[in-house]
Amino acid sequence: MSDIEKKLIKKSMNGDVASFETLINQYQKYAYNIAYRMMGNEEDAKDAAQDALIKVYRNLHTFKMDSTFSTWLYRIVMNTCKDALRKRKDQVVSLNQEIETNEGSIERQLSDKEADPLLIYEKMELKEEIGDAINQLKAQHKEVVVLKDLLGYSYDEISQIVDVPIGTVRSRLNRGREQLKDILKSNMGALRRQYV
Amino acid sequence: MNCDKYNELIHQSLDGELNSSEQGVLDAHLESCEDCTMKYEELKMLKEVLDEESLLELPEGFKAELHDKLMKEDQPEKPSFFKRRAVQNTAIGLVAAALAITVVLPSALNGMPSYQTEDAIEYGESRAGTDKNAVAMDASPAPTITFNESMEMENANFTVTATGMAVEEAAEEPAAPMMESVTKDSLRDESSETDHLNVNERKVIKNGEIVLDITDYDAVFQSIVTMTETVGGYVHSSNEQLQYYNRHSEDDPLKYGFIRVRVPSDMFSSFMEQIKEHGVVTYSGSNAQDVSYQYRNAVSEVQNLEVTERSLRDLMAKAEDIDDIIYIERELMRVRSEINMYMGSIKQWDDLASMSILSITLNEVEILDGEVKPIDDSLWAKAKNALINNLNGLTRFAEGIVIWFVATLPLLIVLGVSIFIIYKLLKWIIRKLFN
């Protein structure tokens, strides 16, 4: 952590809002993007990101100067999002719920057999659906997929942010990617069938 | 076929984590297993789609909203914080006032410039928490250092006349570079003006330059100022100007500007790195000038000259002939001015070495290059773009017509009215003619 950052943190702890804003300046955009991918829409993302940053401001005194400020900040953002997701009453379509709760359920396997492989779709088509698909992931899978595949953090950093061992990060990531693939396939398949 | 163990390999391969032998094992399996190949290809496609997802920009008003919310937060231990600041300020103010009086009164009473008072003045606003003293200095030509003129100007502000005018001038300076104090008394004590200087460490003058593309000029500017002050530096100069119109919003043209800051040398490199984070760096450079050799030379020159000065003074004491006295006086003045010249350079080097100079050019742009979404080259996209361009052209054309119409309206009205009048006139004339 740089000297400048340490000084800014100290000043922010004393209530200097301008220093705090300078301190978080380089992290705000990533915080917002994490929130956007977790919450699924811009409005909730904005609220979650701002709430998280205010929590960071309030809890600066609990931050130990030895670890990295950014991973601490992103952890707060992640936890804020997960809390908000829990509070939110998800209006999930029953088909998707079955996919989520019954891993490898008959329902999904059936749709697997019917669904065309992802490869027949244009990347553009997939990109349109990717946001929804990510949204349907369970929180613990969503967070690692977002941090690794969307935002490009390393296994090490993710392990620190989410506070689980690297092995767990890997297995959650693999599971998350496969679930995402299956969700995408059934979504695209469903879309295609609409136009047939 | 039991493909579970290959599952892990597939994911690792997509992350680029397999060495060549592990990759070979996977490839061998993929050649014979259609399901795994399908899975691999699909996951690969998925990863590409995810990779190409770009970051969103912060929504409008995000920072402003956050700012409002932060301001509503309880300030921790406000009373004691304020008390400390206020007490510090009043204490410094009182000290400054007391010193001002002690400088002004004696000379006012004597009516003569006094060379014997210590010209040491403190001011408030000591962000770095150190004392800053003003120095008596004649304008001294400095050796080849960049920013020569600006340094001389700063030094000129510190010219002290013992009538106390220096106090006002000095007090107006917001945050001055650190300078050593000079006491003329010390000359008589056989000690040197250079005693307090450290000639053994290297004197390195660091300069840096950064050119940045940024998206929010005011925010970045403010952030730079805050950061500078945080590390104990100060803003040397700045200017800004407007660029051509931003075609997306006529009332918000892009800015272009320049800010030069001075920060303590030990913070210089980390400070530069922090500044670079604010946007896309299109140019960055730095250099360091080692003036230790010249510095040491200057110091030893001063010491030599002081020896000469002392012997001259001794001579002066013994001299009786008027011609001799005049001659010695002239020599003394010459030596003294040489000493001052070297001391001037020394102080400048001290100042430049302790506070590095960073010049930052800020160029406001609409979108930063690093964040432009990947160009979609497909036929559909090209057609779409061409269509949009044409539509824009049409809109502009239509807008042009409307504007022309509105602009010419008064003229049209006048024309219309006059035509109407002429028409009526003609009818009346014709009627008259045929009646």
Side-chain angles (χ1 to χ4, degrees):
Chain A
M1 209 175 43
S2 75
D3 289 331
I4 294 185
E5 216 164 50
K6 283 193 191 151
K7 286 199 180 154
L8 284 172
I9 292 177
K10 286 209 185 95
K11 286 184 105 175
S12 308
M13 281 203 268
N14 280 332
D16 186 347
V17 172
S19 292
F20 182 70
E21 287 174 323
T22 307
L23 175 67
I24 61 170
N25 187 48
Q26 51 182 298
Y27 307 120
Q28 279 186 88
K29 193 159 151 190
Y30 275 87
Y32 176 68
N33 274 278
I34 292 177
Y36 175 70
R37 292 293 174 188
M38 292 301 287
M39 305 303 295
N41 69 75
E42 297 203 36
E43 194 60 40
D44 290 339
K46 181 185 72 141
D47 291 334
Q50 286 179 345
D51 288 343
L53 289 171
I54 292 182
K55 271 194 208 154
V56 168
Y57 179 69
R58 280 191 203 143
N59 291 306
L60 273 175
H61 56 276
T62 68
F63 173 63
K64 301 181 201 14
M65 292 279 192
D66 51 348
S67 61
T68 324
F69 183 70
S70 60
T71 43
W72 183 72
L73 186 147
Y74 294 139
R75 188 191 304 178
I76 294 184
V77 172
M78 202 46 104
N79 289 338
T80 310
C81 291
K82 288 198 274 191
D83 290 341
L85 283 174
R86 250 174 272 147
K87 282 199 198 126
R88 185 209 267 177
K89 311 245 184 290
D90 265 352
Q91 309 289 334
V92 182
V93 177
S94 63
L95 170 66
N96 297 331
Q97 207 158 39
E98 273 179 90
I99 293 180
E100 265 191 321
T101 54
N102 305 327
E103 294 186 0
S105 72
I106 300 174
E107 193 68 52
R108 213 211 291 150
Q109 278 172 6
L110 271 179
S111 55
D112 254 2
K113 288 212 175 83
E114 290 181 23
D116 305 309
L118 280 182
L119 307 167
I120 64 173
Y121 299 103
E122 294 260 354
K123 258 198 213 166
M124 246 181 40
E125 297 177 85
L126 290 174
K127 282 188 193 181
E128 280 169 28
E129 292 300 310
I130 194 76
D132 275 341
I134 292 175
N135 244 6
Q136 291 169 29
L137 287 173
K138 268 205 238 178
Q140 66 177 9
H141 297 133
K142 195 197 277 194
E143 67 182 345
V144 286
V145 170
V146 166
L147 285 172
K148 179 97 186 68
D149 287 333
L150 280 167
L151 295 173
Y153 289 101
S154 70
Y155 281 108
D156 227 349
E157 291 168 318
I158 298 178
S159 157
Q160 283 183 43
I161 295 176
V162 180
D163 205 12
V164 296
I166 291 192
T168 315
V169 174
R170 265 188 218 277
S171 58
R172 283 190 195 174
L173 181 66
N174 295 351
R175 203 87 202 84
R177 282 174 176 166
E178 288 174 29
Q179 273 200 354
L180 189 58
K181 165 178 76 84
D182 293 332
I183 292 172
L184 248 190
K185 277 169 76 160
S186 74
N187 283 0
M188 298 301 287
L191 271 182
R192 201 164 251 230
R193 266 173 258 127
Q194 271 181 24
Y195 295 112
V196 163
Chain B
M1 191 165 345
N2 180 14
C3 295
D4 285 345
K5 58 177 177 170
Y6 293 103
N7 199 24
E8 179 73 32
L9 284 179
I10 288 179
H11 286 278
Q12 285 179 306
S13 168
L14 289 172
D15 280 334
E17 289 182 358
L18 292 184
N19 61 39
S20 47
S21 69
E22 291 168 324
Q23 183 70 46
V25 167
L26 178 63
D27 287 338
H29 175 76
L30 289 183
E31 266 178 45
S32 54
C33 177
E34 213 183 285
D35 286 339
C36 285
T37 306
M38 174 73 92
K39 185 180 207 184
Y40 181 83
E41 291 298 326
E42 286 184 322
L43 283 174
K44 186 165 161 212
M45 169 75 111
L46 179 63
K47 190 161 161 59
E48 284 173 18
V49 170
L50 290 173
D51 277 345
E52 289 174 23
E53 286 290 296
S54 48
L55 288 182
L56 290 180
E57 295 292 326
L58 285 172
E60 277 200 42
F62 182 92
K63 288 188 181 175
E65 271 187 52
L66 182 63
H67 179 81
D68 290 337
K69 289 183 187 174
L70 284 169
M71 294 309 281
K72 289 195 192 128
E73 288 290 306
D74 291 331
Q75 302 288 320
E77 295 180 60
K78 221 183 188 183
S80 68
F81 176 72
F82 270 158
K83 252 197 290 178
R84 200 159 39 112
R85 253 299 185 84
V87 164
Q88 198 180 10
N89 278 344
T90 38
I92 290 169
L94 282 173
V95 170
L99 283 169
I101 294 174
T102 45
V103 169
V104 171
L105 268 182
S107 28
L109 289 175
N110 291 343
M112 254 181 54
S114 143
Y115 292 118
Q116 272 135 40
T117 45
E118 262 194 33
D119 299 331
I121 300 167
E122 293 177 337
Y123 2 179
E125 293 276 57
S126 61
R127 284 193 180 83
T130 56
D131 296 341
K132 295 172 178 125
N133 302 318
V135 186
M137 252 185 353
D138 311 318
S140 37
T144 48
I145 307 174
T146 43
F147 311 113
N148 200 358
E149 294 88 44
S150 56
M151 282 302 116
E152 280 197 332
M153 268 197 2
E154 264 176 40
N155 294 338
N157 282 344
F158 288 100
T159 309
V160 175
T161 58
T163 55
M165 259 177 54
V167 179
E168 286 150 31
E169 272 191 62
E172 275 161 17
E173 224 15 63
M178 307 212 294
M179 300 217 181
E180 315 287 345
S181 66
V182 173
T183 52
K184 296 193 171 104
D185 287 280
S186 61
L187 272 182
R188 295 197 208 107
D189 299 332
E190 304 270 26
S191 57
S192 164
E193 285 183 39
T194 59
D195 278 347
H196 54 277
L197 298 174
N198 184 349
V199 266
N200 292 324
E201 60 181 28
R202 303 201 76 81
K203 287 283 168 193
V204 179
I205 299 173
K206 294 186 212 166
N207 292 325
E209 192 181 337
I210 299 175
V211 179
L212 271 180
D213 276 353
I214 48 157
T215 47
D216 185 346
Y217 189 93
D218 295 316
V220 172
F221 187 87
Q222 194 49 51
S223 167
I224 293 177
V225 171
T226 311
M227 276 172 59
T228 309
E229 291 172 357
T230 306
V231 301
Y234 67 97
V235 174
H236 178 269
S237 63
S238 75
N239 62 59
E240 64 186 55
Q241 66 198 48
L242 297 179
Q243 299 185 37
Y244 53 83
Y245 268 129
N246 178 341
R247 65 187 139 86
H248 291 305
S249 55
E250 301 261 299
D251 345 49
D252 189 14
L254 300 173
K255 286 191 185 170
Y256 181 87
F258 179 79
I259 177 170
R260 180 170 279 161
V261 301
R262 301 197 69 199
V263 294
S265 310
D266 45 355
M267 310 281 312
F268 188 66
S269 5
S270 62
F271 188 82
M272 253 188 98
E273 291 309 308
Q274 287 273 320
I275 294 284
K276 286 180 181 175
E277 306 265 345
H278 283 87
V280 175
V281 178
T282 54
Y283 172 79
S284 120
S286 67
N287 66 64
Q289 233 183 331
D290 189 341
V291 296
S292 318
Y293 181 70
Q294 296 101 304
Y295 189 82
R296 277 195 289 274
N297 274 358
V299 170
S300 53
E301 274 302 310
V302 169
Q303 286 163 345
N304 288 343
L305 285 168
E306 282 174 340
V307 169
T308 311
E309 193 181 32
R310 275 196 283 276
S311 31
L312 279 173
R313 284 197 189 275
D314 288 340
L315 270 180
M316 177 76 108
K318 297 185 193 127
E320 292 172 356
D321 190 1
I322 275 288
D323 286 329
D324 289 340
I325 293 179
I326 291 175
Y327 177 77
I328 296 174
E329 184 71 43
R330 219 181 301 139
E331 279 300 303
L332 268 172
M333 268 171 39
R334 188 187 62 77
V335 168
R336 179 42 32 191
S337 67
E338 270 203 57
I339 291 180
N340 285 343
M341 187 184 85
Y342 279 111
M343 285 306 290
S345 309
I346 289 172
K347 284 183 205 335
Q348 278 204 13
W349 279 319
D350 276 334
D351 174 54
L352 286 172
S354 74
M355 293 276 264
S356 310
I357 302 176
L358 179 63
S359 307
I360 306 165
T361 306
L362 296 173
N363 179 32
E364 196 177 24
V365 296
E366 287 159 18
I367 320 167
L368 289 177
D369 278 344
E371 293 154 20
V372 168
K373 297 194 162 78
I375 302 173
D376 199 342
D377 257 347
S378 68
L379 178 64
W380 172 241
K382 283 189 190 156
K384 201 165 67 155
N385 281 340
L387 178 64
I388 290 176
N389 282 341
N390 280 343
L391 283 173
N392 282 346
L394 268 171
T395 339
R396 277 198 291 273
F397 180 64
E399 280 174 11
I401 289 187
V402 171
I403 292 171
W404 173 87
F405 183 70
V406 171
T408 342
L409 199 58
L411 188 61
L412 288 174
I413 292 178
V414 169
L415 221 73
V417 167
S418 33
I419 289 178
F420 180 70
I421 294 177
I422 293 176
Y423 172 68
K424 284 281 177 186
L425 251 167
L426 278 173
K427 261 179 71 176
W428 180 78
I429 292 176
I430 292 174
R431 224 181 317 137
K432 274 283 171 108
L433 277 175
F434 285 116
N435 270 1

